[in-house]
Amino acid sequence: MKSKVDLISLDDAINLNKKEVRSLYKSYVNPGFAALLGMLDFDKKFVRAEGVSVWDEEEAEYLDFLGGFGALNFGHNHPKINAAVERVANLPNLLQVSLGTLTAALGHNLAQITPGNLSRTFFCNSGAEAVEGALKLAKAASKKKKVVYCERSFHGKTMGALSVTGKNKYQAPFQPLVPCCEPVPFGDTSALEMKLKEGDIAAFILEPIQGEGGVNVPPRGYLSEVRKLCSKYDTYLIVDEIQTGFGRTGSVFACDYEEVVPDIMCVGKSLGGGVMPLAAFTTTEHIWDRAFGGFERCQIHTSTFGGNARAMAAGIAAIQVMLEEDLASQAKEKGEYLLNGLRMLQEKYPSFIKEVRGRGLLIGVEFNPLSKGFINKITGGRLNKIAEEYFAALVAAELMNNYHIITAYTLNNPNVIRFEPPLIISREQLDRLLSALEEIFKTSQSMWGLVLASGKRVISSLTS
Ligand SMILES: Cc1ncc(COP(=O)(O)O)c(C=O)c1O
């Protein structure tokens, strides 16, 4: 501890202004991230959130089309989910030597909504942790060494999850990663079969629709074919539904779309109702028992906060709300509406939009590659690089600053802007996005026009 301690109280913390937050972030949290958000004018201070809306200090309303990267299917601060967490405030939140009452109930409820015979669940705190557990489970149950994953996949940033995340930028600084993890192209069953034939493969891990890879939807029938191949070569199929789960893609889980039953499924994000960090992997009785059955092995994989009462209460309420409000059908119907609207924009502005893709309310818009431009000279190529690599971020900055619409690019493919709003969003709110995009394309006329308009603040931050 420092010799003189100067603490910020919770009340003072809540009242910090934007400048103070930025300065504290620079000194104590992540200066690079603070600079990036500042450059795009994204570092606003938001003081209230409800449903699809958040409000800044001046009471200006913003629409959240980012939806917590898929963690806010129910919207911000859903009253039933907040109430559930408050309802258990006096229970012991953690008591690892007893069986958690709410853990038992959430395990049961999850088994009611997951596909086929998935029934045994391990609860943890983050998506990456769920993926780690799933990989360990597959290895321990199969007694095999290798794991196959997809190029452009995203499964998290801890060592095991990163080892099956197909993005060199994230992997490179941390080599060597976990050994025996091998990539195959997404959507390619022949490449998968060649790999599975090699043998000794514990699991194939797959997102049913790649989220961070740029919202990549596989060819129809891919998932069912993958299921057949994994069964044929005695390899466990791990489906990562962390981003696609809980109604997001128009069915409760994206693998329901092709009625595929994985051997192991990872869930997270919206499982915690957008208020508690909560994730899990779930599997069959048979696989669980092979890996973790009996006194000897029942504790070889644990997590201190796994199954804590508040997270469990949020999970129980989240599943209930999802079914009561039929959020999967809402996502399907509204997703089709938004996809149609975006495809109409693509027809009208083909010089901007290369492709519109997605299912339900997991939608990506890929922009055309940017032609080389004259700004290169002024900024020594740096703006060019930013515009080329992060064009979608410039569109996101326009949407945020001029239209009060919050979006972001996808992590593994920064030329794709994602729309992943809470599933409770209204038609009128979807129309606000469509008109904003139309106005941006119309007024900037060309991609370089947009770079110049939105890039003014970027240029000044690069040349100052
Ligand atoms: C499909 C998928 N898996 C895993 C993760 C990692 O989740 P977390 O950030 O909670 O560790 C993500 C996060 O975006 C994801 O989209």
Side-chain angles (χ1 to χ4, degrees), residues 52-370:
V52 183
S53 302
V54 291
W55 286 265
D56 70 11
E57 288 170 296
E58 279 93 43
E59 273 297 303
E61 187 193 12
Y62 291 67
L63 293 184
D64 183 357
F65 270 81
L66 175 56
F69 299 109
L72 289 169
N73 288 9
F74 310 98
H76 289 270
N77 292 320
H78 193 292
K80 286 192 181 162
I81 299 171
N82 276 356
V85 176
E86 273 164 38
R87 167 96 173 72
V88 300
N90 293 325
L91 292 184
N93 195 38
L94 295 172
L95 201 55
Q96 286 91 351
V97 289
S98 76
L99 297 180
T101 314
L102 304 186
T103 318
L106 183 56
H108 166 272
N109 291 359
L110 200 55
Q112 309 302 301
I113 61 164
T114 48
N117 53 348
L118 295 175
S119 59
R120 296 261 176 96
T121 297
F122 176 91
F123 291 105
C124 51
N125 311 287
S126 72
E129 194 188 351
V131 169
E132 295 290 331
L135 297 174
K136 285 176 69 182
L137 172 71
K139 283 191 175 184
S142 67
K143 302 194 170 51
K144 295 179 187 170
K145 287 194 193 68
K146 293 190 213 160
V147 176
V148 178
Y149 66 98
C150 283
E151 290 165 4
R152 298 190 295 171
S153 60
F154 188 88
H155 296 289
K157 291 176 180 162
T158 52
M159 280 306 248
L162 184 61
S163 306
V164 294
T165 284
K167 173 86 173 171
N168 187 45
K169 176 178 169 180
Y170 296 138
Q171 289 192 338
F174 308 103
Q175 297 286 1
L177 297 170
V178 174
C180 306
C181 296
E182 297 176 15
V184 291
F186 180 64
D188 183 342
T189 46
S190 315
L192 176 65
E193 181 157 25
M194 295 239 295
K195 191 57 81 186
L196 294 181
K197 266 188 190 158
E198 290 173 13
D200 201 23
I201 295 173
F204 174 47
I205 182 163
L206 174 73
E207 292 158 272
I209 294 177
Q210 288 187 329
E212 302 306 326
V215 188
N216 303 317
V217 183
R220 210 185 172 84
Y222 173 65
L223 229 58
S224 327
E225 191 53 32
V226 163
R227 174 63 280 178
K228 279 191 210 137
L229 288 174
C230 287
S231 302
K232 181 172 169 192
Y233 292 98
D234 200 18
T235 291
Y236 292 138
L237 171 60
I238 305 175
V239 172
D240 179 345
E241 293 265 7
I242 289 165
Q243 186 154 173
T244 48
F246 302 98
R248 171 59 54 192
T249 67
S251 42
V252 172
F253 294 105
C255 59
D256 293 335
Y257 188 74
E258 289 190 25
E259 292 177 13
V260 160
V261 182
D263 299 298
I264 304 167
M265 190 160 104
C266 299
V267 287
K269 295 193 189 259
S270 282
L271 173 61
V275 298
M276 294 303 294
L278 173 59
F281 63 83
T282 183
T283 189
T284 63
E285 206 178 304
H286 176 71
I287 296 173
W288 179 279
D289 286 344
R290 281 179 70 109
F292 303 145
F295 294 153
E296 280 295 308
R297 287 174 297 158
C298 68
Q299 293 205 86
I300 60 172
H301 185 76
T302 56
S303 175
T304 301
F305 271 83
N308 74 83
R310 286 175 201 185
M312 297 300 104
I316 290 170
I319 291 177
Q320 204 164 346
V321 169
M322 177 187 70
L323 297 178
E324 273 170 15
E325 299 185 9
D326 195 5
L327 287 181
S329 304
Q330 290 201 44
K332 186 167 187 292
E333 184 250 315
K334 293 169 190 172
E336 277 162 16
Y337 180 77
L338 185 55
L339 274 169
N340 279 338
L342 291 167
R343 287 194 174 123
M344 274 154 68
L345 281 181
Q346 184 191 7
E347 271 176 31
K348 245 172 136 174
Y349 301 96
S351 63
F352 282 89
I353 299 181
K354 184 175 167 200
E355 199 182 9
V356 173
R357 49 185 187 250
R359 190 186 301 150
L361 281 171
L362 179 56
I363 295 178
V365 169
E366 181 162 355
F367 294 103
N368 286 312
L370 203 64

Side-chain angles (χ1 to χ4, degrees), residues 397-462:
E398 283 291 292
L399 284 170
M400 168 80 126
N401 295 309
N402 297 336
Y403 301 92
H404 288 185
I405 289 175
I406 302 170
T407 57
Y409 55 85
T410 54
L411 278 180
N412 281 6
N413 190 345
N415 214 25
V416 175
I417 197 164
R418 69 164 85 207
F419 302 118
E420 208 173 339
L423 309 182
I424 52 166
I425 193 160
S426 68
R427 282 266 174 119
E428 183 264 324
Q429 289 168 324
L430 294 175
D431 286 339
R432 266 171 70 182
L433 171 71
L434 292 168
S435 340
L437 283 170
E438 166 125 48
E439 215 170 291
I440 291 174
F441 298 149
K442 207 193 296 176
T443 47
S444 49
Q445 291 182 355
S446 71
M447 289 180 75
W448 271 108
L450 193 145
V451 173
L452 276 176
S454 146
K456 272 186 198 134
R457 73 181 75 83
V458 181
I459 295 171
S460 66
S461 70
L462 288 175

